Amino acid sequence: MSAPLRGPDLPAMPPAFHELAERVNNWGRWGADDELGTLNLITDEVVRAAAATVRTGRRVPLALPLRHDGVQAGLIPGRVNPLHTMVQINQRLFGPGTVATSDDAVTMGLQAATHWDALPHVSHSGLLYNGRPADSVTAHEGARFSGIEKIPHVVSRGVLLDVARAHGLDRLPGDHAVTPEDLALAAEFGGVTVRAGDVVLIRTGQVRLYLAGDKNAYAMPSPGLSCRTPEWFHARDVAAVANDTLTFEIFPPEIENLWLPVHALHLVEMGMLQGQNWNLEELSTACGEERRHSFLLVAMPEPFTGATGTPVAPVAVF
Amino acid sequence: MSAPLRGPDLPAMPPAFHELAERVNNWGRWGADDELGTLNLITDEVVRAAAATVRTGRRVPLALPLRHDGVQAGLIPGRVNPLHTMVQINQRLFGPGTVATSDDAVTMGLQAATHWDALPHVSHSGLLYNGRPADSVTAHEGARFSGIEKIPHVVSRGVLLDVARAHGLDRLPGDHAVTPEDLALAAEFGGVTVRAGDVVLIRTGQVRLYLAGDKNAYAMPSPGLSCRTPEWFHARDVAAVANDTLTFEIFPPEIENLWLPVHALHLVEMGMLQGQNWNLEELSTACGEERRHSFLLVAMPEPFTGATGTPVAPVAVF
Amino acid sequence: MSAPLRGPDLPAMPPAFHELAERVNNWGRWGADDELGTLNLITDEVVRAAAATVRTGRRVPLALPLRHDGVQAGLIPGRVNPLHTMVQINQRLFGPGTVATSDDAVTMGLQAATHWDALPHVSHSGLLYNGRPADSVTAHEGARFSGIEKIPHVVSRGVLLDVARAHGLDRLPGDHAVTPEDLALAAEFGGVTVRAGDVVLIRTGQVRLYLAGDKNAYAMPSPGLSCRTPEWFHARDVAAVANDTLTFEIFPPEIENLWLPVHALHLVEMGMLQGQNWNLEELSTACGEERRHSFLLVAMPEPFTGATGTPVAPVAVF
Amino acid sequence: MSAPLRGPDLPAMPPAFHELAERVNNWGRWGADDELGTLNLITDEVVRAAAATVRTGRRVPLALPLRHDGVQAGLIPGRVNPLHTMVQINQRLFGPGTVATSDDAVTMGLQAATHWDALPHVSHSGLLYNGRPADSVTAHEGARFSGIEKIPHVVSRGVLLDVARAHGLDRLPGDHAVTPEDLALAAEFGGVTVRAGDVVLIRTGQVRLYLAGDKNAYAMPSPGLSCRTPEWFHARDVAAVANDTLTFEIFPPEIENLWLPVHALHLVEMGMLQGQNWNLEELSTACGEERRHSFLLVAMPEPFTGATGTPVAPVAVF
């Protein structure tokens, strides 16, 4: 594909960003109408091979509890922790003598807890993945293109790159930008080779701060992906990436005034789902015990129509 | 276990119910402290065998879209269809020159769409599963026992009992109570034997009414499970049951003034998760094409703390 | 002020609209920075005179109950009736021996019930009141200009123009466009002269359909204001107008393909608050009994920051 | 009325509380079926006299803005600051060529901002105002008795007791329990005599902490009413009381392990509405400038059916 179109009248991204973008851009790779991006890389064959890795039947859930005292500390306007309310409690809706029912309702930010970012969660230069206009996201419809309901399934081989453990740490320091070299080290540590269609989970250990009760420390400073990593994922045709931080990428950012470059590279340029606030602690232990860092991973989006993100309850099966 | 305790001062369930209850009751079977019920039947071995059934890698999602025009027609107070709103649209939160982000929020009933009922969704005679008091469900905490966040994972073999198709129908009539005989017929039709730990999906075809745009017709009258079926599931040690209706059981009910007896038998007496509003249409087609009615099923609850239900995005893998 | 600026690239309003708009436009009348519009007409003197009309102390509330079974029938996406939930019920938050508290939460559309439309509720030709750009309303901030929180108070003389009663009817038929002639007739019927700064309440009786349980009939067809009435209000320097319908103006509209012209004239051109779903039934009776159709009216907006509307609980004091 | 009934099986309130309760109890005073409590004291004559106090027409609003960065700091579970979202932004719902509309939705705790507590907001000893059972508040219905929708109007004379200013302070210290002596001092300072049916506003200046940006300092420690004040209000037949704090009463409490005694005395024993988080700063200035501390006060509850509280946008008119 030729150089991607850029919207008018918007501040330009810096040259450093464009160099990275050109090397990872997937626009048009799966057709001009594609809304799935790198999830196209999860073929039936990939799924078959992923299921074939199951040996013990051990299951590890990766979602944090959805509760009012969740990971959000108020930094991002509108990204509210779940407010769970009971709308019925042991109510005999049909009169006396019958069984009683309890019902719940919730209000929450779709990106508040363990979640997937959908591709239109981020735009840059006025554009979304595959060159769609950013203003196709509206209050009325949400995202017209690549809304999370368009993602039919995320079932693939999961690979844990346990960067913290590979460095002999429980948790990376807050200013640690995870580099391609870190990813290679963690792959070697786990004895695993990243393949096309894999969902890669990157453990920094940062979520331990939240689990220990300090949601402000968890928020930032935070270790996270360097803007050099998208190219690493691109070279290996990774289908999706998730980690155990609030910000996903190193925060505050590496390059002054270039905010969220990894988001822009993954979601806009590559069309790759990314996940945040995944709890990889039990998984790290399990990988150690099972002596392997790959597994069947199922991480189904809730199909909110037009949504730019979704809570997800992923599970790894060994 | 001896006869289960019953709370005082509440209208008695009719004798017909008690006869059924005694035959399926699981209280104490997995200990007095158990909060999981029949999910205990999904052992590592069951999961291993389920994964081993994967042959083609074909994936079929089973959730209806989560949208404002969902299946709820206003009959159940407080069970609201999802209200999806954008809280940010292409917002440059960090100033000009950066990428822009879009965020969403939602308000919804946890039982509004494709969902699991958690065990405390229903009480009868003042009691929940395993003899817990019904008043342990509060506005403050939600469900103290067996809240949906206690369910770590639902990964098992799934079996489709396509009752409609076994009868040569696209959709069962609204007054069709699905009986044990129907289940046996559908198992034979699918060439499948239900085993311990299976998650059984029962297709009535009723959801076609919703998919065709008529949510009132979908609501009721509705085919659904007869109160004779819990014993059939109990005899086979089924782990969970879901179907493609709003009411789950035949509605209006078989026995006058005995409302929701199947809910009470499954959730309270057996401690068995049940699912509603699952879209089994594509699955029915896939089972026909794949020439088998069993598959790997993953249907992870979203871990809402204290919740009596959860939206779920199940996936079948062939 | 010279001819108002119009945004580019948007379909033009028809000439018939522009003729009306030119006659009522208030842009610049209270300065280029004004965000209040005709509420500027409520001076201290107006308020003083309004208070002086109080003679008996009789109070009449004008809001419909805020409940889940409210006036919205699902026609307007996202305009949801109130979902009221209890988040605490008799909870001893501080331990045993203390008093217990109950708390509530609500989710609702701000325009769902008895409400004021704020000026930025409507734009036309890409512009809001006083020539502000329509795109100053964002998901992030809501309305930057003339948000409802900018309205400090609505306290003035209220005048009931009981058009239905003036015609000898309980309720106007659904196709009755309320004309300037109707308003004059009702003023004569009520023995009242509309003055600068008045808040005019126009009774059609349409809300009786909702009160009788038929929210669909209430919605439409609906009597309501003709697009000839804004000029009548403009000539009299009315501060705000409210009525007892869902749509405010005649609906379906008088002029084919010209939707909501009265909204556009009031909110955008004149900068005049307008209210909908006000229950004027008890007020009609009270005016008859008190033998006057003017009173002190207090109708305070809830100051939602950036909101384009607000629920309101107005009260008339005789 | 004889000694009020007390519910069984609940920890007794301490004797100190009962002594206070007996002196202020209003159960049965307005009949066994009464749900309004001291609002019965606002007669037509009181309203007439209140309106007659209006001299200048100056209006002072008393509500804090309703916004996500509101006064709640997370201390009270479920009492969430308003989450305001846009559900439509300049949407041409009826096709091109028409006006465009913007709509909002909100989720909020009804006691989160400037609010009235309804009588059933608090119970003690298993009972509500007028001896109603506390368990008449349910998730299904909310409050069956004295829900806020039962309050038809709050229009009366308002009196500002500016305790801080009477002490020569901008703000009372956090450990200052406002006593009857303080109230008398402030009445003298304001040159006002509290009368039957008055709505009394008590200024501590505490809200200045929130207005200065420190919501944690605002929350507590907080000056507030002493448990000796209800008797003072009772003796004067005050209709309702509001102040400018989060906790209303001195917090932490005066008597160890006796939490919220003033709430229990006002709401349960007296049946008196109370208001919190009222912004009395501008009012304090206005009273000084107008040289009087009484005015017409309108503070209409939003009629949420079954609610135990409501946001309110009060206005004082001089």
Side-chain angles (χ1 to χ4, degrees):
Chain A
M1 189 192 192
S2 61
L5 296 169
R6 301 298 174 190
D9 301 330
L10 283 166
M13 299 290 280
F17 178 84
H18 283 296
E19 284 167 30
L20 294 166
E22 276 173 31
R23 293 208 286 269
V24 302
N25 185 276
N26 282 326
W27 297 6
R29 180 173 170 187
W30 297 284
D33 291 338
D34 180 60
E35 303 187 41
L36 293 181
T38 56
L39 290 182
N40 284 291
L41 297 163
I42 307 182
T43 60
D44 282 0
E45 187 174 354
V46 165
V47 176
R48 217 152 56 217
T53 68
V54 173
R55 274 172 258 162
T56 64
R58 178 175 184 169
R59 291 136 284 162
V60 180
L62 308 180
L64 294 167
L66 288 160
R67 56 183 201 176
H68 198 49
D69 191 21
V71 297
Q72 299 303 319
L75 301 178
I76 304 171
R79 196 176 279 192
V80 292
N81 286 316
L83 173 66
H84 170 251
T85 61
M86 300 302 305
V87 290
Q88 307 284 348
I89 298 179
N90 295 306
Q91 189 64 35
R92 292 164 198 280
L93 283 177
F94 304 103
T98 70
V99 306
T101 59
S102 297
D103 259 44
D104 328 57
V106 74
T107 296
M108 67 180 291
L110 293 184
Q111 292 84 2
T114 304
H115 70 272
W116 283 122
D117 285 343
L119 305 187
H121 172 59
V122 152
S123 65
H124 79 78
S125 313
L127 296 172
L128 304 170
Y129 168 67
N130 225 359
R132 309 288 195 182
D135 62 9
S136 60
V137 182
T138 62
H140 181 60
E141 285 190 88
R144 193 177 312 148
F145 302 107
S146 297
I148 200 69
E149 86 282 8
K150 303 284 178 66
I151 307 298
H153 29 64
V154 179
V155 179
S156 192
R157 189 175 79 139
V159 168
L160 177 67
L161 298 185
D162 196 338
V163 178
R165 200 73 70 212
H167 280 291
L169 298 169
D170 280 342
R171 177 169 64 79
L172 297 176
D175 62 352
H176 187 113
V178 173
T179 61
E181 293 74 26
D182 286 329
L183 299 179
L185 179 73
E188 191 183 342
F189 171 81
V192 69
T193 303
V194 171
R195 297 193 306 233
D198 278 351
V199 175
V200 173
L201 311 183
I202 296 165
R203 184 174 168 274
T204 69
Q206 177 78 357
V207 79
R208 297 169 76 96
L209 293 170
Y210 169 70
L211 296 173
D214 191 344
K215 65 172 74 176
N216 288 308
Y218 173 58
M220 67 171 188
S222 178
L225 298 186
S226 158
C227 58
R228 292 171 48 224
T229 51
E231 200 171 353
W232 195 89
F233 302 126
H234 186 68
R236 283 151 187 82
D237 269 346
V238 165
V241 174
N243 72 15
D244 55 354
T245 71
L246 186 78
T247 56
F248 192 67
E249 49 192 282
I250 176 79
F251 201 89
E254 298 157 289
I255 300 170
E256 201 178 3
N257 288 328
L258 180 53
W259 301 88
L260 302 180
V262 180
H263 279 67
L265 293 167
H266 284 173
L267 298 169
V268 181
E269 299 290 336
M270 296 170 67
M272 183 171 77
L273 279 201
Q274 58 178 43
Q276 284 145 275
N277 302 314
W278 292 37
N279 182 355
L280 305 177
E281 294 307 294
E282 183 184 344
L283 183 64
S284 174
T285 302
C287 284
E289 292 172 356
E290 301 282 332
R291 296 178 181 273
R292 60 192 179 107
H293 283 66
S294 65
F295 34 82
L296 172 65
L297 180 79
V298 181
M300 292 289 290
E302 299 289 337
F304 288 101
T305 299
T308 69
T310 178
V312 63
V315 63
V317 187
F318 285 89
Chain B
M1 188 191 193
S2 61
L5 295 169
R6 301 297 174 190
D9 301 332
L10 284 166
M13 299 289 278
F17 178 83
H18 283 296
E19 283 167 32
L20 295 166
E22 276 172 32
R23 293 207 286 270
V24 301
N25 185 275
N26 281 326
W27 297 7
R29 179 172 172 188
W30 297 284
D33 292 339
D34 180 60
E35 303 186 40
L36 293 181
T38 55
L39 289 182
N40 283 293
L41 296 163
I42 307 182
T43 60
D44 282 1
E45 188 175 354
V46 164
V47 176
R48 215 152 57 217
T53 67
V54 172
R55 272 174 258 161
T56 64
R58 178 176 184 168
R59 291 135 285 163
V60 180
L62 309 180
L64 294 168
L66 289 160
R67 57 182 201 177
H68 197 50
D69 190 21
V71 297
Q72 299 303 319
L75 300 179
I76 303 170
R79 194 176 281 192
V80 291
N81 286 316
L83 173 67
H84 170 251
T85 62
M86 300 303 305
V87 291
Q88 307 284 348
I89 298 179
N90 294 306
Q91 190 64 35
R92 292 163 198 280
L93 284 176
F94 304 103
T98 70
V99 306
T101 59
S102 297
D103 259 42
D104 327 56
V106 75
T107 296
M108 66 180 292
L110 293 183
Q111 293 84 1
T114 303
H115 70 273
W116 283 123
D117 285 341
L119 305 188
H121 172 58
V122 153
S123 65
H124 78 78
S125 313
L127 296 172
L128 303 170
Y129 168 66
N130 226 357
R132 310 288 196 183
D135 62 9
S136 60
V137 182
T138 63
H140 181 59
E141 285 189 87
R144 193 177 312 147
F145 302 107
S146 297
I148 200 69
E149 85 283 8
K150 305 282 177 66
I151 306 299
H153 29 65
V154 179
V155 178
S156 193
R157 189 175 78 140
V159 168
L160 177 67
L161 298 185
D162 196 339
V163 178
R165 199 71 70 211
H167 280 292
L169 298 170
D170 281 341
R171 178 170 62 78
L172 297 176
D175 62 354
H176 186 113
V178 173
T179 62
E181 294 73 26
D182 285 329
L183 300 180
L185 179 73
E188 190 183 343
F189 171 82
V192 69
T193 303
V194 171
R195 297 194 305 232
D198 278 351
V199 176
V200 173
L201 311 183
I202 296 164
R203 183 172 169 275
T204 69
Q206 177 77 358
V207 80
R208 296 169 78 96
L209 293 170
Y210 169 70
L211 296 173
D214 192 344
K215 65 171 75 175
N216 288 308
Y218 173 58
M220 67 170 188
S222 177
L225 298 187
S226 158
C227 57
R228 292 171 48 222
T229 51
E231 200 172 353
W232 195 88
F233 302 126
H234 186 68
R236 282 153 187 81
D237 269 346
V238 165
V241 174
N243 73 15
D244 56 353
T245 71
L246 186 78
T247 57
F248 191 67
E249 48 193 283
I250 176 77
F251 201 90
E254 298 156 290
I255 300 172
E256 202 179 2
N257 287 328
L258 180 53
W259 301 89
L260 303 180
V262 180
H263 280 67
L265 293 167
H266 284 174
L267 298 170
V268 181
E269 300 290 335
M270 297 170 66
M272 182 170 78
L273 279 200
Q274 59 179 43
Q276 284 146 272
N277 301 316
W278 292 38
N279 183 355
L280 305 177
E281 294 306 294
E282 183 184 344
L283 183 64
S284 174
T285 302
C287 284
E289 292 172 356
E290 301 283 332
R291 296 177 179 274
R292 59 190 180 110
H293 282 67
S294 65
F295 35 80
L296 172 66
L297 181 79
V298 181
M300 293 288 290
E302 298 289 336
F304 289 100
T305 300
T308 70
T310 178
V312 63
V315 63
V317 187
F318 285 87
Chain C
M1 189 190 190
S2 60
L5 295 169
R6 301 299 174 190
D9 301 331
L10 283 165
M13 299 289 279
F17 178 83
H18 283 297
E19 284 168 30
L20 294 166
E22 275 173 33
R23 294 207 286 267
V24 300
N25 185 275
N26 282 325
W27 297 7
R29 178 173 171 187
W30 297 284
D33 292 338
D34 180 61
E35 302 187 39
L36 293 181
T38 56
L39 290 182
N40 284 292
L41 297 163
I42 307 182
T43 61
D44 282 0
E45 187 174 354
V46 165
V47 176
R48 216 153 56 218
T53 66
V54 172
R55 273 173 257 161
T56 64
R58 178 176 185 168
R59 292 136 283 162
V60 181
L62 309 180
L64 294 168
L66 289 159
R67 57 184 201 174
H68 198 48
D69 190 20
V71 297
Q72 299 302 320
L75 300 178
I76 304 170
R79 195 175 282 192
V80 291
N81 286 317
L83 174 67
H84 170 251
T85 61
M86 300 303 305
V87 291
Q88 307 284 348
I89 298 178
N90 295 306
Q91 189 64 35
R92 292 162 199 280
L93 283 176
F94 304 103
T98 71
V99 307
T101 59
S102 297
D103 259 43
D104 329 56
V106 74
T107 296
M108 66 181 290
L110 293 183
Q111 292 84 2
T114 303
H115 70 273
W116 282 122
D117 284 342
L119 306 188
H121 171 59
V122 153
S123 65
H124 79 79
S125 313
L127 296 171
L128 302 171
Y129 169 66
N130 226 357
R132 309 287 195 183
D135 62 9
S136 60
V137 182
T138 62
H140 181 58
E141 286 189 87
R144 193 178 310 147
F145 302 107
S146 297
I148 200 69
E149 84 283 8
K150 304 283 177 67
I151 307 299
H153 29 64
V154 178
V155 179
S156 192
R157 188 174 81 139
V159 169
L160 177 67
L161 298 184
D162 196 338
V163 179
R165 199 72 69 211
H167 281 292
L169 298 170
D170 281 341
R171 177 169 64 77
L172 297 176
D175 61 353
H176 187 114
V178 173
T179 62
E181 294 73 27
D182 286 328
L183 299 180
L185 179 74
E188 190 184 343
F189 171 81
V192 68
T193 303
V194 172
R195 297 193 306 232
D198 279 351
V199 175
V200 174
L201 311 183
I202 296 164
R203 183 173 169 275
T204 69
Q206 177 78 356
V207 80
R208 297 170 77 96
L209 293 171
Y210 169 69
L211 296 173
D214 191 344
K215 65 172 73 174
N216 288 308
Y218 173 58
M220 67 171 187
S222 178
L225 298 186
S226 157
C227 58
R228 292 171 48 222
T229 52
E231 199 170 355
W232 194 88
F233 302 126
H234 186 68
R236 282 152 188 81
D237 269 347
V238 165
V241 175
N243 72 16
D244 56 354
T245 70
L246 185 79
T247 56
F248 192 67
E249 50 192 280
I250 177 78
F251 201 90
E254 300 157 288
I255 300 171
E256 202 178 3
N257 288 326
L258 180 54
W259 300 90
L260 302 180
V262 180
H263 280 67
L265 293 167
H266 284 174
L267 298 170
V268 181
E269 299 290 336
M270 296 170 67
M272 184 170 76
L273 279 200
Q274 59 178 42
Q276 285 146 272
N277 302 314
W278 292 38
N279 182 356
L280 305 177
E281 295 306 294
E282 183 184 343
L283 183 64
S284 174
T285 302
C287 284
E289 292 172 357
E290 302 282 331
R291 295 177 181 272
R292 58 193 179 107
H293 282 68
S294 65
F295 34 81
L296 172 65
L297 181 79
V298 181
M300 293 288 290
E302 299 289 336
F304 289 100
T305 300
T308 70
T310 178
V312 63
V315 63
V317 187
F318 284 88
Chain D
M1 188 190 191
S2 61
L5 295 170
R6 301 297 175 190
D9 301 331
L10 283 166
M13 300 289 279
F17 178 83
H18 283 296
E19 284 168 30
L20 294 166
E22 275 172 32
R23 293 208 285 270
V24 301
N25 185 275
N26 281 326
W27 297 7
R29 179 173 172 188
W30 297 284
D33 291 339
D34 180 60
E35 303 186 41
L36 293 181
T38 55
L39 289 182
N40 284 293
L41 297 163
I42 307 182
T43 60
D44 282 359
E45 188 174 354
V46 164
V47 177
R48 217 153 54 218
T53 67
V54 172
R55 272 173 258 161
T56 64
R58 179 176 184 168
R59 291 136 285 163
V60 180
L62 308 180
L64 294 168
L66 289 160
R67 57 182 202 176
H68 197 49
D69 190 20
V71 296
Q72 300 303 320
L75 300 179
I76 303 171
R79 195 175 281 192
V80 291
N81 286 317
L83 173 67
H84 170 251
T85 61
M86 300 303 305
V87 290
Q88 306 284 348
I89 298 178
N90 295 307
Q91 190 65 34
R92 290 162 200 280
L93 284 176
F94 304 103
T98 71
V99 306
T101 59
S102 297
D103 259 43
D104 327 57
V106 74
T107 297
M108 66 180 292
L110 293 184
Q111 293 85 1
T114 303
H115 70 273
W116 283 122
D117 284 342
L119 306 188
H121 171 59
V122 153
S123 65
H124 79 79
S125 313
L127 296 171
L128 303 170
Y129 168 66
N130 226 357
R132 309 289 195 182
D135 63 9
S136 60
V137 182
T138 62
H140 181 59
E141 284 190 88
R144 193 178 311 147
F145 301 107
S146 297
I148 200 68
E149 85 283 8
K150 304 283 178 67
I151 306 299
H153 29 64
V154 180
V155 179
S156 191
R157 190 175 78 140
V159 169
L160 178 66
L161 298 185
D162 196 339
V163 178
R165 198 72 69 212
H167 280 291
L169 297 170
D170 280 342
R171 178 169 62 79
L172 297 176
D175 62 354
H176 186 113
V178 172
T179 62
E181 294 74 26
D182 285 330
L183 300 179
L185 179 73
E188 190 183 344
F189 171 81
V192 69
T193 303
V194 171
R195 296 193 307 233
D198 278 351
V199 176
V200 174
L201 311 183
I202 296 164
R203 183 174 169 275
T204 69
Q206 177 77 356
V207 79
R208 296 169 77 95
L209 293 170
Y210 170 70
L211 296 172
D214 192 343
K215 64 172 75 173
N216 288 307
Y218 173 58
M220 66 171 189
S222 177
L225 298 186
S226 158
C227 57
R228 292 171 48 221
T229 50
E231 199 172 354
W232 195 89
F233 302 126
H234 186 68
R236 281 152 187 81
D237 269 347
V238 165
V241 175
N243 73 14
D244 57 352
T245 70
L246 186 78
T247 56
F248 191 67
E249 49 192 283
I250 176 78
F251 201 90
E254 299 157 288
I255 300 171
E256 202 177 3
N257 287 328
L258 180 55
W259 300 89
L260 303 180
V262 180
H263 280 67
L265 293 167
H266 283 173
L267 299 170
V268 181
E269 300 290 336
M270 297 171 66
M272 184 171 76
L273 280 200
Q274 59 178 43
Q276 285 146 272
N277 301 315
W278 292 37
N279 182 356
L280 305 176
E281 294 307 294
E282 183 184 344
L283 183 64
S284 175
T285 302
C287 285
E289 292 172 357
E290 301 282 333
R291 298 177 179 271
R292 57 192 181 109
H293 282 67
S294 65
F295 35 81
L296 172 66
L297 181 78
V298 181
M300 292 289 289
E302 298 288 337
F304 288 101
T305 299
T308 71
T310 178
V312 63
V315 64
V317 187
F318 285 88

